[in-house]
Amino acid sequence: MDIFYLKEENLFNFLKTLESEYEVFVPQKSEGKLRLCPFGFEVSHTEYILKEISSVDKENFSYNPYRTIEPLKSFFISTREPITEYFESAFEREQKPRVIFGMKNCDLFSLKIQDFVFLEGVVKDPFYERRRHQNILISSDCFLFKEVCFCTALGIMPYAQEGFDLNFSEVTSGYIVEVGSEKGAKVIQNNYRYFNPATPVQIASCNKKREKFVSNLNQHLILHDLVPKEIIPQIVKEGFNSGVWQELVLNCVECGGCNFICDTCHCFLLSDERFGKINEKIRSWDACLYANFAKVAGGANPLRYRYQRLRNRYLKKFDFFVENLGLLACCGCGRCIEVCPAKIDIREVLKKLAQQYKTQKI
Amino acid sequence: MRLDPYQPIPSRVIDIIEETPTIKTFVLKPQEQVAFSTGQFVELTLPGEGEAPFTPSSDPHIKEELEVTIMKAGRVTSALHSIPKDTTLGIRGPYGKGYPLEEFKNKDILIVGGGVGLAPLRSLIYALLAHPQDYKNIIIRYGARTPQDLLYKKQLSEWAKIKNINLMLTVDTADSNWKGNVGVVTTILKDLPLDLTNAVAVVCGPPIMMKFTTLKLLDLGFRPESIYLSMEKNMSCGLGKCGHCRLGRFYVCKDGPVFKYEEIKEIEDIWE
């Protein structure tokens, strides 16, 4: 597909133009200090939050160097929403198409998991399908990483290769804009005045930047000595009866934060509510760390204990999805590490399982 | 499949049968046909209150009505137990894979039920009796806590009279009128009139009963691929999406609820 160049000073105006047709979400900076990680790398504690462009002015708008706080899934499956009315069938809840700017490759990867859940199988989810069809995803390359980032350890690049409509890469005083879909091509076509064809020099500079960043991130990850992705399914499965789960779950307060913030977690709960004569089914995000997640009416609860629920989260990601989709359902975004008040760190959980696995094998 | 997979079909309760002090059968007349095959389940909605999964207990050949036998156990089932006749409930489904009747053909069929677990099995028995010449002996072993907890007493005595049915009941605790066996259901799994080399076993009941029955059947010489289990999980969406009913690499709602023991025996903690 085609590659274009957009001048830096035109970025905000371009996004603003899209407002006529779409609800446009862009990152806003929430400033934090640069700090040194334990390995001496300068890491940022600035966060980026997606806001509707109407509430963001040019000064607050920020081209995010790494992923936003919120996971991309929230644009396709709402935290809580009515999904049907009964026994009336006139229910048609339109949502204005959205443009989401600043998604990273970890988010795009995770959308593969969400697509598998909501677009494949017994039936397509009509809400997800419509939003997926109408929303525009504009991703961008990472050029800084957070301490918790570990995408490349899972074989996921810090720049988008597929699954985007448009992708932005920062180069001198502007951006290389790659078109990834028909939808993306149309957006460029309709706003052609902002774009120029990218020059080979610009493209080469973009590729060089990517290479340099990947090597930088990898150096950081080498020091973390992470578990190789190839053995993750095995150590999780073989570690079923390991004491690691009990040990690490001790501080868990069952907030469900790791589930909700996770780019690939997708579980939801249906509930029923009555509003006068109309009944609604409500769909809400659910968390497998919650005590009643698997409980049945008769009282049986296969996930009765917290350690079983922690283990369940890992089995789902590293066994269920590997078996059914051939993918590890983790994108290395590190959101669950940052959100956990008990400091349960997925990198450490896997390391402990790997250590135990090795000693058992010896 | 309907356009909106979350919208239930209005279904009028045309009769409520009190089976035991804690179990009722609801006879439902859905506005659109809900054509289920035996062993599949439906999601039953009590409008504005909640939804829960049940396997119909009625004859799958009857298309206009279906029956659901419900034990008062949790929030939704308790609320269902208090509704009057003519209430409109909602049905979504049918979901999942039911009993593979093709695989039962020309075989002896051992049916082992515990408590309200006889509900899906009744539907299976109706399906088998619709074509009795297709199957060899039907051996029914059913246990409940007390004689008054036994389901479908009328049908049980009718089935007992049928030539190729061999039926035996047991209760955990007898009363003074009880003449039958006392003990858990595994105590009546002996001297079974069947040919082990050409038989299947179908089990449905509470988790602990399923566990010990399966172990007993293996002991008796049943092969893991000849034992069919109805797994109970808290299926919420019924569509393989909401994540609640995961069992290893399966979702019970779409890959089950009926599994061969062979398919799930390597999965840890299946009896929890």
Side-chain angles (χ1 to χ4, degrees):
Chain A
M1 288 255 188
D2 297 335
I3 304 179
F4 296 90
Y5 176 78
L6 176 78
K7 277 190 193 156
E8 191 178 357
E9 68 250 35
N10 283 335
L11 175 59
F12 189 76
N13 294 339
F14 159 63
L15 293 169
K16 203 74 184 153
T17 314
L18 300 176
E19 233 187 334
S20 59
E21 267 185 86
Y22 301 93
E23 282 176 7
V24 182
F25 285 79
V26 297
Q28 193 182 0
K29 198 191 237 178
S30 154
E31 200 84 47
K33 282 183 188 145
L34 282 178
R35 286 187 227 159
L36 291 183
C37 83
F39 304 121
F41 284 82
E42 213 172 44
V43 286
S44 166
H45 281 250
T46 298
E47 299 291 355
Y48 296 84
I49 306 156
L50 288 166
K51 290 266 167 80
E52 258 200 89
I53 202 165
S54 52
S55 68
V56 178
D57 25 359
K58 206 166 177 176
E59 290 68 46
N60 298 333
F61 165 72
S62 187
Y63 181 87
N64 54 324
Y66 42 77
R67 62 158 177 79
T68 55
I69 291 184
E70 60 270 70
L72 180 55
K73 68 177 178 186
S74 51
F75 287 89
F76 297 96
I77 297 288
S78 304
T79 50
R80 187 179 192 283
E81 64 181 329
I83 50 166
T84 199
E85 283 175 0
Y86 58 94
F87 294 109
E88 308 295 320
S89 57
F91 187 81
E92 189 65 32
R93 205 163 294 245
E94 282 299 327
Q95 191 187 58
K96 207 177 165 187
R98 289 172 164 179
V99 168
I100 305 135
F101 178 82
M103 303 329 300
K104 300 299 182 183
N105 199 33
C106 50
D107 297 311
L108 295 178
F109 169 84
S110 299
L111 219 47
K112 289 188 196 176
I113 307 287
Q114 303 289 348
D115 282 354
F116 176 72
V117 173
F118 292 103
L119 298 179
E120 305 283 328
V122 177
V123 67
K124 287 182 184 180
D125 182 276
F127 292 82
Y128 186 90
E129 190 185 17
R130 191 191 309 146
R131 289 168 192 166
R132 199 71 178 84
H133 181 73
Q134 69 183 18
N135 290 352
I136 304 277
L137 295 177
I138 307 182
S139 54
S140 58
D141 296 4
C142 290
F143 57 90
L144 287 175
F145 56 84
K146 304 192 91 177
E147 198 280 323
V148 296
C149 288
F150 63 107
C151 59
T152 52
L154 296 166
I156 296 160
M157 287 296 155
Y159 51 85
Q161 292 160 300
E162 56 176 352
F164 56 86
D165 295 307
L166 294 176
N167 182 70
F168 279 57
S169 314
E170 211 186 29
V171 288
T172 318
S173 14
Y175 309 95
I176 295 288
V177 182
E178 207 178 324
V179 178
S181 72
E182 290 294 325
K183 270 195 285 183
K186 217 164 171 191
V187 171
I188 298 269
Q189 211 177 42
N190 294 343
N191 298 279
Y192 202 74
R193 63 186 181 283
Y194 291 116
F195 297 90
N196 294 310
T199 65
V201 175
Q202 286 167 331
I203 294 170
S205 135
C206 160
N207 289 338
K208 211 164 167 192
K209 240 186 130 170
R210 283 178 169 183
E211 264 172 50
K212 199 175 158 216
F213 179 68
V214 170
S215 118
N216 205 3
L217 174 55
N218 283 342
Q219 276 180 45
H220 171 249
L221 294 180
I222 284 169
L223 296 166
H224 265 286
D225 192 23
L226 299 174
V227 173
K229 74 173 180 5
E230 292 74 20
I231 69 161
I232 294 176
Q234 201 174 355
I235 58 164
V236 170
K237 220 174 163 177
E238 302 273 331
F240 190 88
N241 291 312
S242 148
V244 168
W245 309 111
Q246 277 106 321
E247 180 195 330
L248 291 176
V249 85
L250 282 176
N251 293 329
C252 172
V253 295
E254 302 177 53
C255 66
C258 54
N259 292 127
F260 295 139
I261 206 74
C262 176
D263 239 343
T264 69
C265 274
H266 64 84
C267 291
F268 63 83
L269 186 73
L270 297 178
S271 56
D272 293 83
E273 281 181 21
R274 187 183 296 117
F275 300 95
K277 283 185 177 168
I278 299 291
N279 300 291
E280 279 187 357
K281 279 201 190 293
I282 315 277
R283 172 165 66 192
S284 323
W285 288 5
D286 202 0
C288 64
L289 265 295
Y290 285 172
N292 288 343
F293 179 79
K295 196 177 168 197
V296 300
N301 186 352
L303 302 177
R304 186 176 304 273
Y305 301 105
R306 268 185 312 170
Y307 81 88
Q308 294 175 321
R309 300 197 287 278
L310 179 68
R311 182 175 65 193
N312 178 70
R313 185 159 188 270
Y314 285 74
L315 284 168
K316 182 72 183 278
K317 297 205 176 310
F318 302 121
D319 180 34
F320 179 89
F321 278 111
V322 172
E323 289 272 356
N324 284 289
L325 181 60
L327 291 176
L328 298 173
C330 174
C331 64
C333 71
R335 287 181 173 100
C336 59
I337 304 169
E338 285 182 331
V339 82
C340 182
K343 301 205 180 332
I344 299 173
D345 183 330
I346 188 166
R347 297 168 301 184
E348 297 306 314
V349 175
L350 293 174
K351 259 194 256 184
K352 286 217 166 180
L353 287 170
Q355 278 160 11
Q356 206 173 60
Y357 182 72
K358 270 183 217 156
T359 39
Q360 273 167 4
K361 291 285 148 177
I362 295 161
Chain B
M1 191 64 76
R2 312 188 100 208
L3 214 59
D4 178 352
Y6 300 106
Q7 177 149 71
I9 299 166
S11 309
R12 197 164 60 88
V13 177
I14 56 174
D15 200 9
I16 300 173
I17 303 155
E18 294 214 17
E19 305 280 2
T20 79
T22 56
I23 299 173
K24 288 181 180 178
T25 294
F26 297 79
V27 185
L28 298 160
K29 198 172 173 62
Q31 228 170 60
E32 296 163 34
Q33 254 186 37
V34 179
F36 68 97
S37 41
T38 178
Q40 282 191 302
F41 72 97
V42 297
E43 290 282 351
L44 192 63
T45 298
L46 179 55
E49 293 288 339
E51 193 177 43
F54 302 99
T55 300
S57 56
S58 53
D59 188 337
H61 298 95
I62 300 170
K63 300 289 177 208
E64 287 71 34
E65 294 171 13
L66 79 159
E67 295 177 24
V68 182
T69 301
I70 298 173
M71 182 167 74
K72 196 172 171 175
R75 187 180 61 84
V76 177
T77 52
S78 299
L80 281 167
H81 266 248
S82 67
I83 61 163
K85 233 165 90 168
D86 286 326
T87 305
T88 299
L89 301 178
I91 291 182
R92 294 192 299 122
Y95 296 126
K97 299 187 176 111
Y99 294 112
L101 295 179
E102 276 300 309
E103 296 175 17
F104 298 173
K105 279 198 172 158
N106 301 314
K107 288 184 178 162
D108 289 327
I109 302 161
L110 170 64
I111 294 171
V112 191
V116 75
L118 190 62
L121 297 173
R122 182 175 75 163
S123 165
L124 170 66
I125 294 165
Y126 284 139
L128 298 176
L129 291 178
H131 306 279
Q133 68 287 353
D134 286 354
Y135 313 98
K136 296 205 157 137
N137 288 324
I138 299 171
I139 301 112
I140 301 169
R141 296 291 179 265
Y142 175 46
R145 263 176 293 195
T146 71
Q148 67 164 0
D149 291 316
L150 289 165
L151 280 183
Y152 315 134
K153 293 187 187 73
K154 214 178 104 198
Q155 278 98 347
L156 287 172
S157 57
E158 279 167 17
W159 292 337
K161 290 177 209 152
I162 297 173
K163 211 181 120 215
N164 69 332
I165 288 187
N166 175 295
L167 181 141
M168 208 176 200
L169 306 176
T170 185
V171 295
D172 298 349
T173 315
D175 59 20
S176 51
N177 296 325
W178 181 252
K179 306 266 185 312
N181 187 78
V182 178
V184 293
V185 79
T186 46
T187 62
I188 51 172
L189 292 179
K190 53 191 172 195
D191 307 323
L192 299 167
L194 51 78
D195 172 10
L196 260 181
T197 62
N198 189 35
V200 294
V202 185
V203 189
C204 187
I208 186 92
M209 170 268 176
M210 301 254 284
K211 176 180 177 175
F212 286 104
T213 302
T214 304
L215 296 177
K216 178 82 181 176
L217 293 172
L218 292 169
D219 246 14
L220 288 173
F222 273 91
R223 291 186 315 259
E225 59 269 31
S226 305
I227 302 172
Y228 295 79
L229 305 169
S230 287
M231 302 306 288
E232 189 201 16
K233 294 269 169 191
N234 64 344
M235 293 85 101
S236 171
C237 74
L239 306 165
K241 306 208 183 293
C242 80
H244 286 89
C245 63
R246 188 179 71 83
L247 182 70
R249 66 177 191 278
F250 301 116
Y251 280 136
V252 171
C253 73
K254 74 173 181 60
D255 303 307
V258 178
F259 290 95
K260 286 183 203 177
Y261 180 58
E262 175 68 23
E263 296 173 279
I264 56 171
K265 67 178 199 273
E266 304 298 335
I267 301 170
E268 309 262 5
D269 285 357
I270 57 168
W271 309 116
E272 294 268 329

